[in-house]
Amino acid sequence: ARKITRTAPFSSYLVDDREPPDNVLSDAEWESYIRANAFPMYHPCGTCAMGDGEMAVVDSQLRVKGLDNVWVVDASVFPKITAGNINATVVMVAEKGADHIKQRLNMTNQEKEVL
């Protein structure tokens, strides 16, 4: 990336080259730099396992196991962090959760007992 940005025509647009410093060249130096400077971008997820297993907190409809009328509709149900920004995926989970909640609220008491 440095070689590309430092050649024409890109170099005329480059204001400064802040990170990483020029002395980061070898694979070992890159690894050390990445380990020292990488961070998760504050997108915690995966704290409420979803599924049927013993460690699962929520079921496939995002209901908290053992509680009535409590759902988890955020990134905590992700099995692992997404490759890109998690915003769109969180919105999708929340929309699906909202559908489950609306469906549950519209059920009769007899239908709820079956669950």
Side-chain angles (χ1 to χ4, degrees), residues 4-27:
I4 292 170
T5 60
R6 291 179 178 175
T7 58
F10 297 109
S11 60
S12 63
Y13 296 101
L14 185 64
V15 175
D16 61 6
D17 193 7
R18 296 180 187 185
E19 297 289 333
D22 285 339
N23 64 345
V24 176
L25 300 172
S26 70
D27 288 348

Side-chain angles (χ1 to χ4, degrees), residues 72-111:
V72 174
V73 293
D74 61 21
S76 37
V77 300
F78 294 2
K80 59 183 179 179
I81 195 163
T82 58
N85 189 296
I86 67 173
N87 181 62
T89 313
V90 171
V91 170
M92 184 272 315
V93 169
E95 289 287 342
K96 188 65 177 174
D99 289 343
H100 290 311
I101 292 166
K102 286 188 289 188
Q103 181 183 13
R104 175 75 175 182
L105 293 175
N106 290 326
M107 289 178 150
T108 65
N109 285 336
Q110 187 176 8
E111 290 172 322

Side-chain angles (χ1 to χ4, degrees), residues 42-43 75 95:
Y42 309 106
H43 292 306
E95 289 287 342

Side-chain angles (χ1 to χ4, degrees), residues 39-98:
F39 58 97
M41 295 298 297
Y42 309 106
H43 292 306
C45 66
T47 56
C48 292
M50 179 172 39
D52 298 323
E54 185 178 308
M55 298 298 292
V57 176
V58 299
D59 65 15
S60 62
Q61 295 200 347
L62 305 170
R63 297 176 295 204
V64 175
K65 294 182 174 189
L67 298 175
D68 289 330
N69 298 321
V70 179
W71 290 262
V72 174
V73 293
D74 61 21
S76 37
V77 300
F78 294 2
K80 59 183 179 179
I81 195 163
T82 58
N85 189 296
I86 67 173
N87 181 62
T89 313
V90 171
V91 170
M92 184 272 315
V93 169
E95 289 287 342
K96 188 65 177 174

